């Protein structure tokens, strides 16, 4: 069964290699130190990080081609920041957003442009033309009713006058005059309640003029195109910091009522890189500590542990240097290679050193045992390195370039690990040799586990069959999470804000984009998409041209005449010449009028509003009686009630200047968002549902693709990228499996051995796939690398078991009590803690990858140390009972 001649050649090669390293230890260690220092210097100066998940996919994919064209035609939507500004009133939100936009436009160092669509001068002037005719008629009626009130306040903008006007209106209502006072009284009452509750909010005159109920919060969005510095690791760090500084300069502080939140593609990428880097850093440290602990438990010798750790660190440095030289950057997937290497890189050293310890006796010299250990495990380690590298290199031909890069890095890292282990570990033994007899230490609990296959192989077959059946039932329920947001840290401001924006389907930042080469094509696309149930609305340049402009213009002129040329400055608002006593008397008079009305007309349609307002006013009068500074309270109430009136009037006066216009009269600053310089039309398609849900996302994208195949935008990119990734990994796994099978057949030269190696690995892959269903961990852009990785990683353990069983005198029972089984166990344990440390990363993609890989390795360990020995037992019995040939 053993081909001695073949083994002898490789045996002596690796034996001489390790002996040479031991005999020339000083020179080997010195050379390693010099190489490490030079490598560190090169890596620091040449290794970057790419954060765009989309860029990890091949540029030849159709959706990438569509997206690249979109970025060329409309560069203002490439790499953007979305600023979500919230305030208590529409006036405050609008004014603050306009000031912030102006400050950002002045910062040409960090910002290309800042665009506040609602504050565009053209839209500000012609905004009323976009209202419906019934809305304009309603506004006209409300302005007519409010005109006397507004005119009186404009003449004397004081709390005293405002209260007196309200008193007169209530008295007019008592006489039977029809007045719609409810909205005014509701708004004033809510404003008073907020002040008295210690959470002041201003009265929105804009909502009073339009007849809308005043909401708790209003929001405006500002689109910022930052200048990204890609020479820095965090390209968006300075622009984002500049936005926050601009916000403070605008008055948006922690104490202000306005709140600014930063999101958008740039902010999401910045936070994702931050969380991925932080997670990789913390996971790397944790993995190193846990691996060191496991190594001590496995090797029981400080010298051996030091040898492994130094080999590990040098291999990691050299792999990083290779990455800087061959690729030049890491991505959000390949950045995990450091932790993966820590988990994988110790395997070879553990097998080598445990075999060395197993051979160590008082009579054998260290050189003799190293020579024998190198010869014994060298061939198996080489086969492992080759097959694992093939598993990783199988990523290279895929369209998922981000993972293709991980494949190149990790595959080469395995070769580097083999070379470093067989060179550094023997050299370290020259100065920190392993103690005699360390290999004789036995762990009772581990022995009990390893004894199961020889005692319970029938039970193992039964349980494996049941697990296989359960797996087959679970596999149809596997799913892929297309939502890129789910990879990021869910607690980051950018993620929370973006999810909130997605919930508003009407203005979702995740909307699809179609491009049309001419007006006819654009209108045809709009017609095809508008009636789809999955589409809420379709917006184009044509929507900037209001309908019925002449009629609306007439109504707007009527509004202007109704309100008149009223102007008011904010600085003029105050107490005027009225004393505290006079203002208190005015409030008491209003309270008395309200009480009289309630008594006289309890069933009036406005009675509910009047009762509520009367209660609010009574609370204010009560607080005036107990306040330390009555004048300060009255001034605060005056500002709350009248402070926003000047701005509301100013915006109305600007809106009264609206004039009918044509498409050609739309300024370039506005039309360029919808019509490119090459006369390409931009068509925005908004979903009916919240496409943060994967099923809703698929429905929306597939429905619009049937009508407009060239569609692009974040929803399309997410879905198509996910489909491309799944296809890429099916391709990668198939290539890896074929490559591994061919490599095993060539290296092992035995079909039975090849099959024995593959069975536990394929079972582990199936069980891991089913585990995604049982544990509720869907595949995503990050953790989908688990299956090809497990094929490459798990094959090592299986090879060691089969190689030692079928190439030595150990039967399956004795095999489980050799250094090989222990090395497999502890190697798997180091890999589990290496991958498991990733599960604590704040980056959810990395965390899910770490968790799934840890689960996969544990399942692989079960398949290799329990199921495989049972198979070896059966094969050995059949071969023993077969007649000699």
């Amino acid at each position: 069964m053993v081909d001695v001649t073949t083994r002898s050649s490789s045996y002596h090669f690796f034996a001489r290699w390790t002996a040479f390293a031991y005999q020339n230890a000083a020179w080997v260690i010195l050379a390693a130190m010099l190489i490490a220092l030079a490598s560190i210097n090169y890596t620091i100066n040449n290794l970057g990080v790419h954060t765009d998940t989309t860029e990890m996919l091949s540029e030849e994919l159709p959706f990438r081609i569509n997206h690249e064209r979109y970025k060329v035609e409309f560069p203002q939507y490439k790499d953007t920041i979305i600023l979500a500004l919230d305030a208590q009133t529409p006036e405050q939100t609008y004014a603050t957003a306009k000031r912030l936009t102006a400050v950002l436009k002045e910062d040409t160092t960090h910002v290309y442009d800042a665009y506040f669509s609602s504050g565009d001068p053209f839209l500000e002037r012609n905004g009323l033309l976009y209202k419906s005719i019934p809305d304009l008629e309603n506004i006209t009626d409300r302005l007519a009713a409010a005109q006397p009130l507004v005119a009186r306040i404009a003449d004397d903008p004081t709390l005293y006058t405002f209260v007196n006007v309200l008193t007169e209106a209530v008295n007019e209502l008592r006489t039977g005059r029809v007045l719609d006072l409810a909205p005014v009284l509701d708004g004033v009452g809510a404003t008073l309640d907020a002040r008295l509750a210690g959470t002041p909010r201003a009265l929105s005159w804009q909502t009073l003029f339009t007849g809308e109920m005043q909401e708790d919060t209003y929001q405006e969005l500002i689109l910022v195109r930052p200048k990204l510095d890609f020479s820095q690791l965090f390209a968006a760090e300075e622009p984002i910091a500049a936005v926050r500084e601009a916000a403070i300069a605008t008055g948006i502080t922690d104490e202000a009522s306005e709140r600014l939140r930063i999101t958008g593609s740039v902010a999401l990428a910045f936070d994702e890189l931050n969380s991925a880097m932080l997670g990789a850093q913390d996971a790397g440290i944790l993995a190193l500590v846990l691996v060191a602990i496991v190594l001590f438990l496995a090797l029981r010798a400080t010298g051996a542990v030091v040898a492994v750790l130094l080999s590990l660190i040098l291999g990691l440095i050299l792999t990083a240097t290779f990455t800087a030289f061959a690729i030049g950057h890491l991505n959000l997937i390949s950045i995990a290679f450091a932790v993966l290497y820590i988990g994988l890189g110790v395997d070879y050293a553990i097998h080598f050193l445990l075999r060395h310890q197993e051979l160590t006796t008082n009579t054998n010299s260290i050189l003799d045992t190293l020579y024998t250990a190198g010869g014994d495990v060298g061939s198996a380690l080489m086969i492992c390195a080759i097959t694992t590298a093939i598993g990783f290199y199988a990523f290279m031909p895929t369209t998922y370039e981000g993972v293709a890069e991980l494949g190149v890095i990790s595959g080469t890292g395995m070769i580097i690990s083999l070379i470093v282990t067989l060179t550094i570990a023997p050299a370290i033994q020259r100065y920190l040799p392993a103690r005699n007899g360390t290999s004789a230490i036995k762990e009772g609990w581990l022995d009990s586990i390893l004894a199961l296959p020889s005692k319970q192989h029938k039970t193992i077959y039964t349980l494996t069959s049941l697990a296989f059946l359960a797996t087959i039932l679970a596999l149809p329920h596997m799913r892929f999470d297309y939502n890129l947001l789910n990879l990021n840290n869910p607690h980051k401001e950018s993620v929370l804000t973006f999810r909130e924006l997605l919930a508003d389907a009407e203005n979702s930042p995740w909307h699809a984009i179609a491009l049309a080469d001419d007006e006819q094509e654009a209108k045809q696309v709009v017609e095809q998409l508008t009636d789809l149930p999955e589409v809420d609305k379709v917006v184009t340049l044509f929507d900037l041209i209001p309908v019925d402009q002449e009629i609306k213009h007439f109504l707007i002129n009527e509004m202007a005449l109704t309100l008149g040329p009223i102007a008011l400055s904010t600085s003029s608002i105050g107490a005027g010449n009225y004393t505290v006593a006079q203002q208190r008397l005015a409030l008491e008079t209003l309270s008395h009028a309200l009480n009289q009305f309630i008594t006289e007309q309890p069933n009036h349609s406005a009675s509910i509003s009047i009762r509520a307002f009367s209660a609010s006013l009574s609370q204010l009068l009560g607080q005036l009686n107990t306040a330390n500074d009555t004048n300060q309270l009255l001034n605060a109430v005056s500002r709350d009630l009248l402070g926003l009136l000047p701005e509301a009037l100013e915006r109305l006066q600007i809106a009264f200047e609206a004039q009918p216009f044509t498409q050609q009269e739309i300024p370039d600053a506005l039309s360029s968002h919808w019509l490119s310089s090459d006369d390409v039309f931009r068509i925005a398609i908004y979903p009916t549902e919240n496409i943060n849900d994967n099923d809703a996302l698929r429905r929306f994208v597939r429905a619009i693709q049937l009508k407009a195949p060239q569609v692009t935008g974040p929803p399309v990119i997410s879905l198509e990228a996910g489909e491309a990734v799944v296809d890429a990994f099916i391709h990668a796994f198939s290539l890896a499996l074929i490559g591994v099978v061919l490599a095993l057949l060539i290296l092992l030269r035995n079909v039975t051995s090849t099959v024995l190696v593959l069975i536990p690995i394929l079972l582990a892959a199936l069980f891991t796939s089913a585990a995604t269903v049982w544990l509720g961990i869907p595949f995503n852009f990050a953790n989908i690398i688990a299956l090809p990785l497990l094929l490459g990683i798990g094959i090592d353990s299986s090879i060691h078991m089969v190689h030692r069983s079928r190439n030595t005198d150990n039967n399956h029972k004795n095999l489980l009590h050799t250094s090989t089984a222990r090395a497999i166990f502890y190697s798997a344990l180091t890999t589990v803690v290496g991958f498991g440390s990733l599960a604590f990363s704040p980056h959810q993609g990395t965390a899910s990858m770490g968790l799934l890989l840890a689960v996969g390795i544990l399942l692989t360990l079960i398949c290799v140390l329990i199921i495989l020995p049972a198979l070896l037992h059966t094969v050995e019995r059949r071969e023993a009972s077969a007649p000699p040939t």
Side-chain angles (χ1 to χ4, degrees):
M1 182 170 63
V2 180
D3 190 342
V4 178
T5 305
T6 303
R7 191 185 76 169
S8 178
S9 175
S10 61
Y11 177 94
H12 288 296
F13 174 79
F14 289 108
R16 289 167 182 161
W17 180 346
T18 53
F20 176 84
Y22 177 81
Q23 291 169 329
N24 299 275
W27 291 107
V28 168
I29 293 172
L30 178 61
M33 291 174 62
L34 294 175
I35 292 172
L37 291 174
S39 298
I40 290 171
N41 180 64
Y42 181 85
T43 303
I44 290 174
N45 294 315
N46 293 277
L47 187 62
V49 178
H50 286 183
T51 60
D52 191 335
T53 307
T54 306
E55 298 296 330
M56 296 184 201
L57 291 159
S58 171
E59 294 180 356
E60 298 177 1
L61 292 170
F63 80 92
R64 284 291 311 276
I65 295 173
N66 294 335
H67 188 60
E68 289 301 318
R69 185 193 177 202
Y70 173 54
K71 289 193 293 185
V72 170
E73 296 293 345
F74 296 94
Q76 63 267 48
Y77 290 102
K78 176 186 177 183
D79 298 330
T80 57
I81 293 173
I82 298 174
L83 305 183
L85 179 66
D86 300 306
Q88 296 172 330
T89 66
E91 294 97 330
Q92 290 171 307
T93 312
Y94 178 88
T96 306
K98 198 166 185 179
R99 291 198 308 272
L100 179 57
T101 302
V103 172
L104 289 171
K105 280 180 174 290
E106 293 176 358
D107 184 7
T108 55
T109 303
H110 301 103
V111 174
Y112 286 114
D113 190 27
Y115 182 63
F116 173 39
S117 59
S118 300
D120 185 278
F122 182 83
L123 294 178
E124 189 176 22
R125 186 173 63 255
N126 295 290
L128 287 175
L129 290 173
Y130 296 97
K131 298 281 187 182
S132 67
I133 291 176
D135 284 344
L136 291 175
E137 291 173 339
N138 178 58
I139 294 172
T140 302
D141 292 340
R142 298 192 67 81
L143 287 177
Q147 197 280 337
L149 171 65
V150 174
R152 288 275 301 278
I153 295 173
D155 289 338
D156 185 19
T158 62
L159 176 64
Y160 177 83
T161 300
F162 181 50
V163 172
N164 281 338
V165 171
L166 287 180
T167 302
E168 292 171 9
V170 172
N171 287 331
E172 288 287 331
L173 204 62
R174 288 174 57 201
T175 63
R177 183 176 174 181
V178 178
L179 295 174
D180 188 11
L181 280 184
V184 176
L185 298 181
D186 288 340
V188 173
T191 303
L192 294 179
D193 290 341
R195 167 60 61 180
L196 298 175
T199 56
R201 55 174 295 179
L203 174 64
S204 171
W205 287 84
Q206 179 178 319
T207 58
L208 290 181
F209 292 156
T210 58
E212 302 168 355
M213 288 292 294
Q214 184 169 345
E215 299 176 4
D216 293 332
T217 305
Y218 292 83
Q219 187 176 85
E220 293 284 3
L221 301 178
I222 303 171
L223 189 69
V224 179
R225 189 181 174 202
K227 292 183 178 179
L228 303 177
D229 183 4
F230 290 103
S231 66
Q232 303 293 322
L233 178 59
F234 295 96
E237 185 172 21
E238 291 186 6
I240 289 176
V243 168
R244 297 200 184 279
E245 290 175 6
I248 294 173
T250 309
I252 307 173
T253 62
D254 293 338
E255 295 75 27
S257 59
E258 298 89 350
R259 180 174 63 142
L260 180 72
R261 291 172 293 164
I262 301 176
T263 188
S265 60
V266 169
L268 288 168
F270 174 75
D271 283 338
E272 184 166 18
L273 177 59
N274 237 324
S275 60
M277 290 289 288
L278 179 64
Q281 172 186 306
D282 293 346
I285 296 172
L286 180 61
L288 202 57
V289 172
L290 293 177
V291 165
I293 294 172
V294 174
L295 286 175
F296 188 79
L297 292 175
L299 301 173
R300 310 294 178 92
T302 303
V305 173
V306 170
V308 174
L309 292 178
L310 289 179
S311 300
L312 188 64
I313 293 170
L314 179 60
L316 191 57
I317 291 171
L318 294 178
T319 305
T321 304
F322 167 78
T323 304
F325 175 77
I327 299 174
H329 61 263
L330 294 169
N331 58 60
L332 290 177
I333 300 297
S334 64
I335 202 171
F337 95 92
V339 177
L340 301 184
Y341 186 92
I342 291 172
L344 297 173
V346 299
D347 289 4
Y348 302 152
I350 288 177
H351 279 278
F352 173 73
L353 290 172
L354 278 180
R355 180 57 177 155
H356 167 54
Q357 288 182 352
E358 189 177 38
L359 295 169
T360 299
T361 65
N362 292 324
T363 57
N364 291 339
S365 69
I366 294 177
L367 180 60
D368 289 339
T369 56
L370 285 173
Y371 186 94
T372 306
D376 282 349
V377 302
S379 297
L381 292 179
M382 180 190 67
I383 295 172
C384 290
I386 292 173
T387 54
T388 304
I390 289 173
F392 284 120
Y393 286 148
F395 297 169
M396 292 171 58
T398 68
T399 55
Y400 198 1
E401 292 180 357
V403 174
E405 292 171 2
L406 176 63
V408 173
I409 296 168
S410 300
T412 305
M414 294 302 96
I415 305 299
I416 291 172
S417 179
L418 176 65
I419 296 171
V420 169
T421 296
L422 294 179
T423 306
I424 299 300
I428 297 296
Q429 290 300 301
R430 180 91 181 196
Y431 303 102
L432 295 171
R435 299 195 311 270
N436 293 342
T438 52
S439 62
I441 297 175
K442 302 292 183 180
E443 296 93 341
W445 59 273
L446 182 55
D447 285 340
S448 299
I449 295 174
L450 296 179
L452 286 175
S454 61
K455 298 178 180 178
Q456 304 289 340
H457 62 275
K458 292 183 178 179
T459 302
I460 289 171
Y461 285 149
T462 302
L463 293 176
T464 302
S465 300
L466 292 175
F468 182 78
L469 179 61
T471 297
I472 296 301
L473 295 175
L475 290 180
H477 300 285
M478 284 193 308
R479 61 188 181 91
F480 187 90
D481 185 357
Y482 300 96
N483 194 334
L484 292 169
L485 277 182
N486 292 338
L487 299 181
N488 214 326
N489 184 340
H491 306 296
K492 285 290 185 180
E493 176 187 82
S494 61
V495 178
L496 293 171
T497 305
F498 204 84
R499 289 194 190 280
E500 182 183 304
L501 296 177
L502 286 177
D504 180 12
E506 184 177 353
N507 296 299
S508 173
W510 266 6
H511 54 267
I513 299 295
L515 300 180
D517 293 324
D518 53 53
E519 182 174 329
Q520 181 180 355
E521 182 185 350
K523 290 182 177 178
Q524 183 179 359
V525 171
V526 172
E527 183 180 352
Q528 290 175 332
L529 295 175
T530 300
D531 294 332
L532 291 176
E534 294 84 3
V535 175
D536 178 62
K537 63 179 179 180
V538 182
V539 181
T540 66
L541 177 65
F542 314 125
D543 294 292
L544 294 181
I545 308 167
V547 296
D548 301 323
Q549 291 191 60
E550 293 298 333
I551 299 174
K552 293 177 180 178
H553 183 242
F554 174 80
L555 292 173
I556 292 170
N557 286 336
E558 187 177 334
M559 279 186 213
L561 291 173
T562 300
L563 187 63
I566 299 175
L568 183 63
S569 66
T570 304
S571 60
S572 63
I573 295 174
N577 297 321
Y578 302 104
T579 64
V580 170
Q582 287 175 310
Q583 294 178 77
R584 186 197 295 268
L585 179 60
L587 290 168
E588 290 173 347
T589 303
L590 175 58
S591 179
H592 179 68
L594 292 170
N595 291 332
Q596 283 186 309
F597 179 86
I598 293 170
T599 302
E600 294 169 357
Q601 302 187 45
N603 298 320
H604 193 278
S605 59
S607 61
I608 295 176
S609 297
I610 289 178
R611 282 192 177 90
F613 178 55
S614 177
S616 301
L617 188 58
S618 297
Q619 283 187 313
L620 173 61
L621 290 170
Q623 192 155 332
L624 285 172
N625 292 329
T626 59
N628 294 326
D629 191 339
T630 305
N631 189 54
Q632 183 180 6
L633 177 58
L634 289 172
N635 285 336
V637 170
S638 178
R639 288 193 301 273
D640 290 346
L641 295 174
L642 303 175
L644 297 182
L645 178 57
E647 185 171 340
L649 289 174
E650 181 183 359
R651 289 188 65 187
L652 266 180
Q653 296 296 344
I654 294 173
F656 290 160
E657 298 173 7
Q659 294 291 331
F661 60 89
T662 63
Q663 180 177 318
Q664 289 69 32
E665 293 175 288
I666 299 174
D668 290 341
L670 181 58
S671 64
S672 62
H673 289 271
W674 301 98
L675 183 65
S676 74
S677 57
D678 296 329
D679 292 330
V680 174
F681 287 81
R682 174 174 174 264
I683 304 168
I685 310 152
Y686 288 84
T688 303
E689 301 176 271
N690 181 353
I691 55 176
N692 189 45
D693 175 74
N694 280 303
D695 293 333
L697 172 68
R698 177 180 287 277
R699 284 192 295 271
F700 174 64
V701 172
R702 293 303 182 224
I704 60 178
Q705 282 181 327
L706 290 175
K707 303 293 183 181
Q710 80 283 10
V711 72
T712 185
V716 180
I717 291 171
S718 292
L719 183 63
E720 292 296 346
E723 299 285 358
V725 167
V726 171
D727 291 343
F729 274 99
I730 292 174
H731 188 197
F733 190 80
S734 301
L735 287 177
L737 185 59
I738 292 170
V740 166
V741 170
L742 291 176
L744 289 173
L745 288 172
I746 293 170
L747 296 170
L748 296 178
R749 302 185 182 185
N750 187 289
V751 174
T752 302
S753 295
T754 299
V755 172
L756 286 170
V757 168
L758 290 174
I759 287 176
I761 305 310
L762 295 178
L763 283 175
L766 288 173
F767 294 158
T768 303
S769 299
T772 65
V773 178
W774 298 329
L775 299 177
I777 309 173
F779 284 115
N780 56 44
F781 289 90
N783 68 23
I784 196 171
I785 69 173
L787 292 182
L789 281 177
L790 288 173
L791 178 63
I793 297 166
I795 208 79
D796 288 8
S797 301
S798 195
I799 286 172
H800 282 297
M801 289 290 287
V802 174
H803 183 271
R804 186 153 187 183
S805 172
R806 298 180 67 78
N807 291 274
T808 68
D809 294 330
N810 294 107
N811 60 33
H812 78 281
K813 185 173 181 179
N814 293 332
L815 174 65
L816 291 172
H817 299 290
T818 63
S819 64
T820 297
R822 279 175 162 67
I824 289 171
F825 176 80
Y826 285 113
S827 293
L829 195 55
T830 58
T831 307
V832 167
V833 298
F835 290 148
S837 65
L838 290 173
F840 298 99
S841 171
H843 184 263
Q844 295 301 290
T846 303
S848 67
M849 177 173 66
L851 180 59
L852 192 57
L853 282 169
V855 170
I857 293 298
L858 287 174
L859 291 171
T860 301
L861 186 62
I862 292 171
C863 291
V864 170
L865 290 185
I866 295 180
I867 297 175
L868 178 57
L871 291 172
L872 289 170
H873 170 76
T874 301
V875 170
E876 287 174 6
R877 287 185 59 187
R878 288 182 179 178
E879 289 180 348
S881 61
T885 56

